Amino acid sequence: MKKKLALALALSMSLTLAACGSSSSESSSTEEAEETVEESAEETEETTEAETEDAGEEQSADDAEAVAVMTYEEYAAAELDTQVCVETYVQATQSWWDDTITVYSQDEDGAYFLYNMACSEEDAALLVPGTKIIVTGYKSEWSGEVEIIDATFEFADDGDSYIAEALDVTELLADESLSDYQNQFVSFTGMTVEASTDADGNEAAFLYNWDGSGEAGSNCDLYFNVSVNGETYNFTVESYLCGEDTEVYQTVTQLEVGDVIDLEGFLYWYEGVNPHITSVTVVG
């Protein structure tokens, strides 16, 4: 009887100790697991913060490199479709529309055609000739015309101003080096008006639109031919730059074949030289 009771007591104590040991082991394992999770979370957070800081530093470096202001020489050497940033001076603007504006700009070293640059109507009114701006966009080419597209700008606050004088490029018209002066404000002297032919074969001193499909009062571009040194060239009065109420537009509509004229304008390019003319003077 005592043996049975002793065995029962021993068995009971053994089960109790086993249960206590199991509980202690599970508690210890749980605490270790929680500590491991906390340490892992701290390491992950530190790694994420480090990666974020590194990414931020890389982005800042990229941004700083992307907006570095170029000289004209650096811009001219830049590959097409790459981001560029230039300081330049407004020389003229086309009509503002749909929060964009096209700008003819220049500095002492070269010129830039800023096509459909993002601009509010209020800022457009401030883009008067001589205004210095900082432009960021992408260098592009369309039918030979090298321009800056998808551009944004800010006004320079140094008070500097620049208006380019017209460079006479008459003798360079047949020279390959003429493209080096693309988009600059230039002049042509002693040019003779030649006949232009419309789509129906009719000849005139100028055409409304390139094919003669326009008419007076529709504010069309004007196209006219001029010659010098035995070569004939097609020039344009861009209506968004100089509309039908301007002196140059009215002067061109009164030209006659054989007139000798002096001209000023911007050395635009379209499948070859195609200046946007801003001034015409009949000299003979």
Side-chain angles (χ1 to χ4, degrees), residues 3-278:
K3 289 182 179 180
K4 291 181 179 180
L5 179 59
L7 288 171
L9 289 173
L11 180 59
S12 176
M13 291 177 64
S14 177
L15 292 172
T16 301
L17 290 172
C20 289
S22 176
S23 176
S24 175
S25 176
E26 290 175 0
S27 176
S28 175
S29 297
T30 300
E31 290 175 0
E32 290 176 1
E34 290 176 351
E35 290 176 358
T36 300
V37 169
E38 290 176 357
E39 290 174 358
S40 178
E42 290 174 357
E43 291 175 359
T44 299
E45 183 177 357
E46 291 174 357
T47 300
T48 300
E49 290 177 353
E51 290 175 349
T52 300
E53 290 175 359
D54 290 342
E57 291 174 357
E58 290 176 2
Q59 183 63 42
S60 298
D62 290 343
D63 290 345
E65 183 178 356
V67 298
V69 175
M70 297 175 165
T71 63
Y72 180 78
E73 183 178 5
E74 291 170 333
Y75 165 79
E79 296 291 333
L80 293 176
D81 302 318
T82 59
Q83 191 173 39
V84 293
C85 180
V86 298
E87 284 184 344
T88 184
Y89 301 84
V90 176
Q91 303 300 303
T93 63
Q94 294 186 10
S95 304
W96 174 90
W97 69 284
D98 195 26
D99 286 332
T100 65
I101 192 167
T102 293
V103 179
Y104 304 80
S105 72
Q106 189 167 338
D107 60 27
E108 292 86 347
D109 300 313
Y112 314 87
F113 187 68
L114 315 176
Y115 180 71
N116 277 2
M117 182 172 67
C119 181
S120 68
E121 188 172 13
E122 293 75 16
D123 284 345
L126 302 176
L127 292 175
V128 297
T131 302
K132 186 178 183 180
I133 56 177
I134 303 170
V135 179
T136 301
Y138 291 86
K139 184 178 178 181
S140 184
E141 181 179 346
W142 184 73
S143 295
E145 168 63 24
V146 178
E147 56 195 12
I148 298 178
I149 64 171
D150 298 331
T152 59
F153 80 99
E154 59 183 283
F155 292 99
D157 58 3
D158 58 8
D160 199 8
S161 180
Y162 174 74
I163 298 291
E165 294 185 4
L167 174 69
D168 192 334
V169 294
T170 307
E171 297 304 316
L172 296 177
L173 272 168
D175 197 297
E176 291 183 358
S177 66
L178 182 64
S179 62
D180 294 340
Y181 303 93
Q182 190 173 131
N183 297 318
Q184 290 191 31
F185 186 56
V186 297
S187 64
F188 308 90
T189 56
M191 309 290 288
T192 301
V193 178
E194 303 290 345
S196 298
T197 305
D198 66 18
D200 296 325
N202 301 311
E203 291 188 347
F206 72 95
L207 301 177
Y208 290 105
N209 289 333
W210 66 272
D211 58 354
S213 61
E215 59 184 6
S218 57
N219 201 36
C220 298
D221 296 343
L222 302 181
Y223 289 80
F224 58 103
N225 290 331
V226 290
S227 65
V228 66
N229 298 329
E231 298 290 338
T232 299
Y233 307 90
N234 189 244
F235 286 8
T236 301
V237 175
E238 166 60 60
S239 61
Y240 288 146
L241 172 63
C242 297
E244 59 186 8
D245 59 340
T246 61
E247 181 177 356
V248 62
Y249 198 100
Q250 293 299 318
T251 300
V252 170
T253 61
Q254 298 170 22
L255 290 177
E256 297 182 359
V257 174
D259 284 345
V260 178
I261 57 179
D262 293 341
L263 311 97
E264 292 180 343
F266 298 101
L267 196 59
Y268 188 78
W269 220 260
Y270 177 75
E271 304 296 345
V273 60
N274 181 227
H276 288 178
I277 299 301
T278 60

